[in-house]
Amino acid sequence: MERLESLRAVKDLQRHYAQYEQYSLWGDMAALFAKDARVEWGDEKIDGRDAISDWLNEGGDLAPGALNTEFIDEPLVNLSVDGDSAKGRWMSLAFKGDGQGRAWFEGGLYENDYVREDGVWKIAVMRYYPQYEGDYAEGWKNVGGEDIPIIPYHFTIDETGVPIPEPEGDAPESDASLDSLEQRIAAMNDEDDVRNLQNAYGYYVDRKMWDDVVDLFAEDSAVEIAGAGVFKGPEGVREAMELMGPAGLGHGELNEHPLFDTLVRVVPDGNEAETRGIELAMLGDADEDAASWKISVYRNRFVKEGGIWKFKEMRLYPMMKADYDEGWGSGEGVEHRFPAFLSPNPGTGSPVDVADFMVVAKDDLTGTVDQSDSGEETAQAPEDRLVDLRRRLKRSEAYDAVVNVSAAYGYYLDDFQWTKLSSIFAEDGNKQSPFAGFYLGQDRIMGAANAMWGPPREMRPAVSFHWRTQPVIHVSHDGRSANLRTRLFQPRTSKDPDAPSRFYMGGLHGGMYPNDQLVLENGVWRFWSLTIDEHYFAMPNWEDGWSGAEEPEAEAEPYRSPLLDKYPPDILLTELGERQEGFRGGTGETVDWPGILPMWFHYRNPVSGRTPEHYWPDCVPCEKLSEARLTEHGYEMPPTGPEIDGVELR
């Protein structure tokens, strides 16, 4: 239990770093480093916490109109055998502005070391590898106009699916009681549920599924949107959502709201929780040639009623609003609102110094939470309680393992590491290759990748990064299988983004991994099935952004993936009927952005159990090939919805 708490503390340490950076809180950022820490920032090296503090302070105060938001996500974190150190890999994309006319981007990758110093987790070594950058007007490209190298991994293939290794030696003595174990493990289970709820909300907003959004809120809830007011009760929640327009997306409409750097705090032994994170909004209407950006900080409150977590308060504070054509360089539309942090600085245990800011969201919008309603309690003998606690701990361990393997897929795919990528699949697993079909088994998965993209290479002139963020993870009752949904947040970069190509190799593109499954195989978590639905939006060029997309001319012949001839799939997308309708290489008429593709869900509404219009709870090829089901191989089907009337929806 303590080792899993440590793993999560390391992730939260990095999330605090990103949240402090938004406000140039250099002192609080420096406090997250160990005394003898080191920063390796490209070719620059800074040794010792004092020197790191000086280096950070060179950034100066956050000037009026300046923007300093860095999204740091896609965690792949491994704890050491002794539990006193850890290593983590993260993606990074920073939106910068000086408020005086300049706006720019910086993108790269972190490979960090962490250490427990005097009982507190700190950053021991921060290694940042810059990969792409550029001023807003021209967009980004590879740093220095050079090829991008592969960054060494801190993890082996098997370590991706084992974030917490088996300890060596005897377990240390502990004065923990069964009651205290129950409280701490319950907090981790609750954290998983609250994180799922927060992330599921984001997907409903993307599609303007207002009925589902309202379902997520308690009756006595409230929504505050800075500049728009406070909205109370279910009717108020609906009114707040409809500030973004009526339900449903029209042709050419984009309403993407990816979430990053989310911190979750569960009130100990209670029915209350909070989240705080950063939201990037990409908005617009390609039919109207309209597009805009927004960056906001959210600070939300949750309540557990009848054993089900619900939103009680949602508070959204925009920091930047900018028309796509103009950007944010002038500082107009940039506001330094400061929603209160969830906790003291984890490096010092002291409150964050916010004297230079007006802090908002310090007081609750709604009443106190009834701490007596913790769901149905059952009397168990001590030995039975211990068995159940081990099972529940296993489910939270599974949550973090799934996040790790999911991230490893993105990192290996970015680097064309086909042997490694295929090896993080189960022996009988399956994977979709875009626009072609599904391949069964590790050898076939690797063969398809090699046939489509060729062998690995040490240097790449262009990279399509695969951030797999905002996970919604449902773990089986026994903790041995899981369903996973993640967003494809895809920055692309190249030495020459405008070089002739079928795809524009710059800017942002988006899709969804809606029906992934993972299993615990021989002690290691691996993919059972992976599906990609794309692209929900794309940028034909930087100048026009996502609103520059025009309705494509009808194709004389449907798109045909080269894989169909080079290395035919085991299951064609054209064999999957309605599930692949509209997707390139699938069935029916192809829908390309600015057309609106269907969005599929593996789960029902996490509060009401409402079934979405496009619902697919099992792996995508399972209906065609029943032996592809994980239940045919001794695994449980994970739940697909809340527990209603004592029954977990499956």
CSV table of all heavy atoms in Angstrom, one decimal, residues 566-595:
chain,number,residue,atom,x,y,z
A,566,LYS,N,0.2,-5.3,-48.9
A,566,LYS,CA,1.5,-5.7,-48.3
A,566,LYS,C,1.4,-6.8,-47.3
A,566,LYS,O,2.2,-7.7,-47.2
A,566,LYS,CB,2.2,-4.5,-47.7
A,566,LYS,CG,2.7,-3.4,-48.7
A,566,LYS,CD,3.4,-2.3,-47.9
A,566,LYS,CE,3.9,-1.2,-48.8
A,566,LYS,NZ,4.6,-0.2,-47.9
A,567,TYR,N,0.4,-6.6,-46.4
A,567,TYR,CA,0.4,-7.5,-45.2
A,567,TYR,C,-1.1,-7.5,-44.7
A,567,TYR,O,-1.4,-6.8,-43.7
A,567,TYR,CB,1.3,-6.9,-44.1
A,567,TYR,CG,1.7,-7.9,-43.0
A,567,TYR,CD1,2.8,-8.8,-43.2
A,567,TYR,CD2,1.1,-7.9,-41.8
A,567,TYR,CE1,3.2,-9.7,-42.2
A,567,TYR,CE2,1.5,-8.8,-40.8
A,567,TYR,CZ,2.5,-9.6,-41.0
A,567,TYR,OH,2.9,-10.5,-40.0
A,568,PRO,N,-1.9,-8.3,-45.3
A,568,PRO,CA,-3.4,-8.2,-45.1
A,568,PRO,C,-3.7,-8.5,-43.6
A,568,PRO,O,-3.1,-9.3,-43.0
A,568,PRO,CB,-4.0,-9.3,-46.0
A,568,PRO,CG,-2.9,-9.5,-47.1
A,568,PRO,CD,-1.6,-9.2,-46.4
A,569,PRO,N,-4.7,-7.7,-43.1
A,569,PRO,CA,-5.1,-7.9,-41.7
A,569,PRO,C,-5.8,-9.2,-41.5
A,569,PRO,O,-6.3,-9.8,-42.4
A,569,PRO,CB,-6.1,-6.7,-41.4
A,569,PRO,CG,-5.8,-5.8,-42.5
A,569,PRO,CD,-5.3,-6.5,-43.7
A,570,ASP,N,-5.9,-9.7,-40.2
A,570,ASP,CA,-6.7,-10.8,-39.9
A,570,ASP,C,-8.2,-10.5,-39.9
A,570,ASP,O,-9.0,-11.4,-40.2
A,570,ASP,CB,-6.3,-11.4,-38.5
A,570,ASP,CG,-4.8,-11.8,-38.5
A,570,ASP,OD1,-4.4,-12.7,-39.2
A,570,ASP,OD2,-4.0,-11.2,-37.7
A,571,ILE,N,-8.5,-9.3,-39.5
A,571,ILE,CA,-9.9,-8.9,-39.6
A,571,ILE,C,-9.9,-7.5,-40.3
A,571,ILE,O,-9.3,-6.6,-39.8
A,571,ILE,CB,-10.5,-8.8,-38.2
A,571,ILE,CG1,-10.5,-10.1,-37.5
A,571,ILE,CG2,-12.0,-8.3,-38.3
A,571,ILE,CD1,-11.0,-10.1,-36.1
A,572,LEU,N,-10.6,-7.4,-41.4
A,572,LEU,CA,-10.7,-6.1,-42.1
A,572,LEU,C,-11.7,-5.2,-41.4
A,572,LEU,O,-12.7,-5.6,-40.9
A,572,LEU,CB,-11.2,-6.3,-43.5
A,572,LEU,CG,-10.3,-7.2,-44.4
A,572,LEU,CD1,-11.0,-7.5,-45.7
A,572,LEU,CD2,-9.0,-6.4,-44.8
A,573,LEU,N,-11.4,-3.9,-41.5
A,573,LEU,CA,-12.3,-2.9,-40.9
A,573,LEU,C,-13.7,-3.0,-41.7
A,573,LEU,O,-14.7,-2.7,-41.1
A,573,LEU,CB,-11.8,-1.5,-41.1
A,573,LEU,CG,-10.5,-1.1,-40.2
A,573,LEU,CD1,-10.2,0.4,-40.4
A,573,LEU,CD2,-10.7,-1.5,-38.8
A,574,THR,N,-13.6,-3.3,-43.0
A,574,THR,CA,-14.9,-3.4,-43.8
A,574,THR,C,-15.7,-4.6,-43.3
A,574,THR,O,-16.9,-4.7,-43.7
A,574,THR,CB,-14.5,-3.6,-45.2
A,574,THR,OG1,-13.6,-4.7,-45.4
A,574,THR,CG2,-13.9,-2.3,-45.8
A,575,GLU,N,-15.2,-5.5,-42.5
A,575,GLU,CA,-16.0,-6.6,-41.9
A,575,GLU,C,-16.7,-6.2,-40.7
A,575,GLU,O,-17.4,-7.1,-40.1
A,575,GLU,CB,-15.1,-7.8,-41.7
A,575,GLU,CG,-14.4,-8.3,-42.9
A,575,GLU,CD,-13.5,-9.5,-42.6
A,575,GLU,OE1,-12.3,-9.3,-42.2
A,575,GLU,OE2,-14.0,-10.7,-42.7
A,576,LEU,N,-16.5,-5.0,-40.1
A,576,LEU,CA,-17.0,-4.7,-38.8
A,576,LEU,C,-18.3,-3.9,-38.8
A,576,LEU,O,-18.6,-3.3,-37.7
A,576,LEU,CB,-15.9,-4.0,-38.0
A,576,LEU,CG,-14.6,-4.9,-37.8
A,576,LEU,CD1,-13.5,-4.1,-37.1
A,576,LEU,CD2,-15.0,-6.1,-36.9
A,577,GLY,N,-18.9,-3.7,-39.9
A,577,GLY,CA,-20.2,-3.1,-39.9
A,577,GLY,C,-20.3,-1.7,-39.3
A,577,GLY,O,-19.5,-0.9,-39.6
A,578,GLU,N,-21.4,-1.5,-38.5
A,578,GLU,CA,-21.7,-0.2,-38.0
A,578,GLU,C,-20.5,0.4,-37.2
A,578,GLU,O,-20.3,1.6,-37.2
A,578,GLU,CB,-22.9,-0.3,-37.1
A,578,GLU,CG,-23.3,1.0,-36.5
A,578,GLU,CD,-24.4,0.9,-35.4
A,578,GLU,OE1,-24.7,-0.3,-35.0
A,578,GLU,OE2,-24.9,1.9,-34.9
A,579,ARG,N,-19.8,-0.5,-36.5
A,579,ARG,CA,-18.7,0.1,-35.6
A,579,ARG,C,-17.7,0.9,-36.4
A,579,ARG,O,-17.0,1.8,-35.8
A,579,ARG,CB,-18.0,-1.1,-34.9
A,579,ARG,CG,-16.9,-0.7,-34.0
A,579,ARG,CD,-17.3,0.3,-32.9
A,579,ARG,NE,-16.2,0.8,-32.1
A,579,ARG,CZ,-15.4,1.7,-32.5
A,579,ARG,NH1,-15.5,2.3,-33.6
A,579,ARG,NH2,-14.4,2.1,-31.6
A,580,GLN,N,-17.4,0.5,-37.7
A,580,GLN,CA,-16.4,1.3,-38.4
A,580,GLN,C,-17.1,2.2,-39.5
A,580,GLN,O,-16.4,2.6,-40.4
A,580,GLN,CB,-15.5,0.3,-39.1
A,580,GLN,CG,-14.6,-0.5,-38.1
A,580,GLN,CD,-13.8,0.5,-37.3
A,580,GLN,OE1,-13.7,0.3,-36.0
A,580,GLN,NE2,-13.1,1.5,-37.9
A,581,GLU,N,-18.3,2.4,-39.4
A,581,GLU,CA,-19.0,3.3,-40.4
A,581,GLU,C,-18.5,4.7,-40.3
A,581,GLU,O,-18.5,5.3,-39.2
A,581,GLU,CB,-20.5,3.2,-40.1
A,581,GLU,CG,-21.3,3.9,-41.3
A,581,GLU,CD,-22.8,3.6,-41.2
A,581,GLU,OE1,-23.2,2.7,-40.4
A,581,GLU,OE2,-23.6,4.3,-41.9
A,582,GLY,N,-18.1,5.2,-41.4
A,582,GLY,CA,-17.6,6.6,-41.5
A,582,GLY,C,-16.1,6.7,-41.4
A,582,GLY,O,-15.6,7.7,-41.8
A,583,PHE,N,-15.5,5.7,-40.8
A,583,PHE,CA,-14.0,5.8,-40.6
A,583,PHE,C,-13.3,5.4,-41.8
A,583,PHE,O,-13.7,4.5,-42.5
A,583,PHE,CB,-13.6,5.0,-39.4
A,583,PHE,CG,-14.1,5.5,-38.1
A,583,PHE,CD1,-15.2,5.0,-37.5
A,583,PHE,CD2,-13.4,6.6,-37.4
A,583,PHE,CE1,-15.7,5.4,-36.3
A,583,PHE,CE2,-13.9,7.1,-36.2
A,583,PHE,CZ,-15.0,6.5,-35.6
A,584,ARG,N,-12.2,6.1,-42.1
A,584,ARG,CA,-11.4,5.8,-43.3
A,584,ARG,C,-11.0,4.4,-43.3
A,584,ARG,O,-10.4,3.9,-42.3
A,584,ARG,CB,-10.2,6.8,-43.4
A,584,ARG,CG,-9.4,6.6,-44.6
A,584,ARG,CD,-8.4,7.8,-44.8
A,584,ARG,NE,-9.2,9.0,-45.1
A,584,ARG,CZ,-9.5,9.4,-46.4
A,584,ARG,NH1,-9.2,8.6,-47.4
A,584,ARG,NH2,-10.2,10.5,-46.6
A,585,GLY,N,-11.2,3.7,-44.4
A,585,GLY,CA,-10.9,2.3,-44.5
A,585,GLY,C,-12.0,1.4,-44.0
A,585,GLY,O,-11.9,0.1,-44.1
A,586,GLY,N,-13.1,2.0,-43.4
A,586,GLY,CA,-14.1,1.2,-42.8
A,586,GLY,C,-15.3,1.0,-43.7
A,586,GLY,O,-15.1,0.8,-45.0
A,587,THR,N,-16.5,1.1,-43.2
A,587,THR,CA,-17.7,0.9,-44.0
A,587,THR,C,-18.5,2.2,-44.2
A,587,THR,O,-18.3,3.2,-43.6
A,587,THR,CB,-18.7,-0.1,-43.2
A,587,THR,OG1,-19.0,0.5,-41.9
A,587,THR,CG2,-18.0,-1.4,-42.9
A,588,GLY,N,-19.3,2.1,-45.2
A,588,GLY,CA,-20.1,3.3,-45.6
A,588,GLY,C,-19.3,4.4,-46.2
A,588,GLY,O,-18.1,4.2,-46.6
A,589,GLU,N,-19.9,5.6,-46.3
A,589,GLU,CA,-19.2,6.7,-46.8
A,589,GLU,C,-18.2,7.3,-45.8
A,589,GLU,O,-18.5,7.5,-44.7
A,589,GLU,CB,-20.2,7.8,-47.3
A,589,GLU,CG,-19.6,9.0,-48.0
A,589,GLU,CD,-20.6,10.0,-48.5
A,589,GLU,OE1,-21.8,9.6,-48.5
A,589,GLU,OE2,-20.3,11.1,-48.8
A,590,THR,N,-17.0,7.6,-46.3
A,590,THR,CA,-16.0,8.1,-45.4
A,590,THR,C,-16.3,9.5,-44.9
A,590,THR,O,-16.7,10.3,-45.7
A,590,THR,CB,-14.6,8.1,-46.1
A,590,THR,OG1,-14.2,6.7,-46.4
A,590,THR,CG2,-13.5,8.6,-45.1
A,591,VAL,N,-16.1,9.8,-43.6
A,591,VAL,CA,-16.4,11.1,-43.1
A,591,VAL,C,-15.0,11.7,-42.6
A,591,VAL,O,-14.3,11.1,-41.8
A,591,VAL,CB,-17.3,11.0,-41.8
A,591,VAL,CG1,-17.4,12.4,-41.2
A,591,VAL,CG2,-18.6,10.5,-42.2
A,592,ASP,N,-14.6,12.7,-43.3
A,592,ASP,CA,-13.3,13.4,-43.0
A,592,ASP,C,-13.7,14.7,-42.4
A,592,ASP,O,-14.7,15.4,-42.7
A,592,ASP,CB,-12.4,13.6,-44.2
A,592,ASP,CG,-11.7,12.3,-44.6
A,592,ASP,OD1,-11.2,11.6,-43.7
A,592,ASP,OD2,-11.6,12.0,-45.8
A,593,TRP,N,-12.8,15.2,-41.4
A,593,TRP,CA,-13.0,16.6,-40.9
A,593,TRP,C,-13.0,17.6,-42.0
A,593,TRP,O,-12.2,17.4,-42.9
A,593,TRP,CB,-11.9,16.9,-39.9
A,593,TRP,CG,-11.8,18.3,-39.4
A,593,TRP,CD1,-11.0,19.3,-39.7
A,593,TRP,CD2,-12.7,18.8,-38.5
A,593,TRP,NE1,-11.3,20.4,-39.1
A,593,TRP,CE2,-12.4,20.2,-38.3
A,593,TRP,CE3,-13.8,18.3,-37.8
A,593,TRP,CZ2,-13.1,21.1,-37.4
A,593,TRP,CZ3,-14.5,19.2,-36.9
A,593,TRP,CH2,-14.1,20.5,-36.8
A,594,PRO,N,-14.0,18.5,-42.1
A,594,PRO,CA,-14.8,19.0,-41.0
A,594,PRO,C,-16.2,18.2,-40.8
A,594,PRO,O,-17.0,18.7,-40.1
A,594,PRO,CB,-15.1,20.4,-41.4
A,594,PRO,CG,-15.1,20.4,-42.9
A,594,PRO,CD,-14.1,19.4,-43.3
A,595,GLY,N,-16.3,17.0,-41.4
A,595,GLY,CA,-17.4,16.2,-41.0
A,595,GLY,C,-17.2,15.7,-39.6
A,595,GLY,O,-16.1,15.7,-39.1
